[in-house]
Amino acid sequence: MRLARRISRLGTETAFEVLARARALEAQGREIIHLEIGEPDFDTPANITAAAIEALQAGYTHYTPSAGIPELRATVAEEVSRTRKIQVGPENVVIVPGGKPIIFYTILALVEAGDEVIYPNPGFPIYESMINMIQARPVPIPLLEENDFCFDLDALKRAINKRTTLIILNSPQNPTGGVLCRKDLEEIAELAERYDCYILSDEIYSRILYEGEFFSIASLPGMKERTIILDGFSKTYAMTGWRMGYGVMPENVAAAFARLATNSVSCTAAFTQRAGLAALRDPQDEVDRMVAEFRRRRDVMVAGLNSIPGVSCRTPAGAFYAFPNVKSFGRPAKEIADYLLQEAGVAVLAGTSFGSYGEGYLRLSYANSVENIEKAIERMRQGLSRMGHD
Ligand SMILES: Cc1ncc(COP(=O)(O)O)c(C=O)c1O
């Protein structure tokens, strides 16, 4: 069959491709340490799974309203009002199958072909993929190591103009672990107001933060009216396979998102939504425990990477990724990532999987045991020592 041209404009997430290659090596008997995929290795907390089982037995096996069950929308609204210190209601919330549909719907609902969309580079690859798919113009803003991987505000000032419709932010960030500080967010908000553009604030890692308190651009005066917050359950509650996330937005945009849901997925699974209620309402000790464990692993990972000759790594402030600099090896990041998989049995991603400014970096997920992280560091040390660096 001949595919429509828009399909050729869709990008992908390399993590899934590297995972498939790593699995193929495992099928040949190789032992691979997986640092490529961005998902917590913990089980979903037992109270959440129990709530889903109970919901299934109680008959939550039918359609729900497209925007989500009212009780969950209200609970998300309370949670977001409390954590972002803003006032939002259930009418501002749409429940969707994962965080990703919020990216999809935002771009479909707010951006016309030919509009300009600003987004981080390196950044989550789905942003650029969707911008290209609808034939808008992608305008990447570099995140530089020397700037602690924050948005380059000078570059933003040069890039923004009256054709800019949307600015995509992600903090804590995938792949760098960088966090946008309040001062930078204030400047970004001021520019968004001046040029009358909207913000998609991808806050999927908002709870996985190691220093300070999370701050959302939507908390700044006048910004909740022009911001779509993306958050969800995948990372916070180790629920990647359940497929549930949410967006918080002005009411008319929520109505458009609900219509997009009606046209695509109808709704998020009913029993999954009931489990989401338990996740938000029950005690949060499990989340605290997981975040504390991620911090311990981060410290092992970063110290280990910095002990490898030729590698240097900043300490990420959030999410569960390390983004070490491997420029001293003088080879493309993709070549180094391929070499580490083949020769050292460690699956990592090239920084370029997240855009051209990722060249010279690797992304390693530390959502893995300390034992495996230590083993991976030793394998990398040996593998990279054979490569030669400056
Ligand atoms: C920055 C970012 N946004 C959104 C998502 C999508 O999350 P979900 O699995 O809930 O669709 C991810 C997942 O890796 C992510 O890293």
Side-chain angles (χ1 to χ4, degrees), residues 13 38 97-101 103 124 127 170 174 202 204-205 230 234-235 240 243-244 321:
E13 248 192 285
K100 265 183 187 163
I103 302 171
F124 191 48
Y127 309 140
N170 175 211
N174 176 10
D202 185 341
I204 196 98
Y205 298 102
L230 178 166
S234 302
K235 317 285 176 178
T240 46
R243 308 314 302 142
M244 181 169 48
Y321 308 109

Side-chain angles (χ1 to χ4, degrees), residues 4 11 72 86 103 140 149 152 184 251 267 277 317 330 332 334 338 343 360 380:
L72 181 58
I86 51 177
I103 302 171
F149 298 114
D152 181 336
D184 285 2
E251 195 174 346
C267 62
L277 267 179
K334 169 89 171 57
D338 288 347
E343 304 301 321
M380 287 175 69

Side-chain angles (χ1 to χ4, degrees), residues 18-19 22-23 26 32-37 345-347 365 367-368:
V18 175
L19 177 65
R23 292 258 187 266
E26 284 171 330
I32 307 293
I33 302 175
H34 291 273
L35 304 179
E36 76 280 42
I37 203 91
V346 181
S365 161
N368 205 323

Side-chain angles (χ1 to χ4, degrees), residues 188-190 192-193 199 217-227:
I188 297 167
E190 206 251 300
E193 285 196 319
I199 306 276
I217 195 163
S219 307
L220 294 170
M223 286 310 288
K224 83 171 189 207
E225 289 75 18
R226 54 175 74 246
T227 302

